[in-house]
């Protein structure tokens, strides 16, 4: 019987996860353009759209632009789906994304359709979103996303998306 390998220190695991998430987010210019950032707790991601004046669509209200809201929800869905898809390989140490060139990163899921329900006015403040994968197969996935601002129990928008998963990395 071979001796067991000691577990990695928790800081090393956190650094690897954070570096992988940073590499995935930085590889998409539109995420940087909107200013979307992600908080990671274990395998769960929360998207954050920090408020900026350029995100206002109706200055009379003022209200967040519906296109910015839709893009934010779709980005959160795609990144959550990709994070879930890569999680096992990241944890097993099979995939190291730190320092990887954008063209060498795993491909993102492709959107088939994305339907947004605008439930209330997006106020001029930070917005948050969390996605839940409702079906994930080898070729297809379905995701629901909820966006809120001050109170998670009062979402201002929600969406459902269907995606084609990238070809297997094997």
């Amino acid at each position: 019987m071979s001796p067991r390998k000691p577990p990695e220190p928790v800081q090393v695991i956190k650094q690897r996860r954070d570096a992988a998430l940073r590499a995935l987010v930085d590889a998409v210019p539109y995420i940087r353009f909107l200013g979307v950032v992600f908080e990671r707790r274990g395998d769960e991601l929360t998207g954050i759209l920090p408020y900026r004046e350029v995100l206002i669509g109706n200055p009379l209200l003022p209200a967040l632009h519906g296109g910015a809201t839709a893009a934010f929800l779709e980005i959160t869905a795609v990144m959550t789906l990709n994070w879930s898809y890569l999680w096992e390989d990241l944890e097993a140490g099979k995939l190291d994304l730190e320092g990887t060139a954008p063209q060498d990163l795993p491909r993102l899921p492709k959107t088939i359709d994305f339907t947004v329900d605008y439930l209330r006015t997006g106020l001029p403040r930070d917005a948050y979103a969390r996605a839940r994968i409702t079906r994930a197969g080898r070729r297809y996935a379905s995701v629901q996303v909820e966006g809120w601002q001050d109170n998670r129990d009062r979402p201002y928008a929600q969406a459902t998306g269907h995606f084609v998963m990238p070809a297997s990395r094997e």
Side-chain angles (χ1 to χ4, degrees):
M1 196 155 108
S2 64
R4 288 182 72 179
K5 186 175 151 187
E8 287 183 287
V10 73
Q11 282 308 103
V12 172
I13 294 169
K14 285 181 178 183
Q15 287 172 352
R16 184 176 62 238
R17 290 173 182 171
D18 290 341
L21 180 59
R22 198 170 30 257
L24 292 172
V25 170
D26 288 348
V28 182
Y30 194 62
I31 294 176
R32 291 192 314 263
F33 172 77
L34 280 181
V36 175
V37 293
F38 288 89
E39 276 188 3
R40 183 195 56 74
R41 298 285 182 259
D43 67 342
E44 182 178 69
L45 298 180
T46 300
I48 303 169
L49 178 65
Y51 172 73
R52 294 184 337 219
E53 192 70 32
V54 297
L55 299 175
I56 295 297
N58 184 341
L60 298 177
L61 291 178
L64 289 178
H65 192 282
T69 294
F72 171 52
L73 295 178
E74 186 173 3
I75 286 167
T76 302
V78 168
M79 291 308 293
T80 299
L81 192 54
N82 204 32
W83 189 247
S84 169
Y85 180 69
L86 299 174
W87 181 257
E88 283 184 35
D89 286 348
L90 284 169
E91 289 303 289
K94 295 179 190 173
L95 192 58
D96 182 13
L97 301 179
E98 190 171 15
T100 304
Q103 66 271 18
D104 297 328
L105 288 170
R107 297 184 59 170
L108 293 172
K110 297 231 186 261
T111 305
I112 297 170
D113 64 23
F114 199 75
T115 305
V116 179
D117 297 325
Y118 299 96
L119 307 174
R120 55 184 46 88
T121 301
L123 301 171
R125 53 185 62 129
D126 292 354
Y128 307 90
R130 202 168 281 157
R132 183 171 59 87
I133 300 168
T134 55
R135 182 198 185 285
R138 284 189 339 242
R139 296 185 201 157
Y140 167 87
S142 181
V143 180
Q144 292 180 335
V145 190
E146 195 171 71
W148 71 93
Q149 290 186 302
D150 296 326
N151 182 344
R152 181 148 187 222
D153 293 331
R154 291 181 41 90
Y156 79 102
Q158 63 187 17
T160 301
H162 302 100
F163 301 88
V164 173
M165 298 305 292
S168 177
R169 297 179 308 281
E170 297 160 29

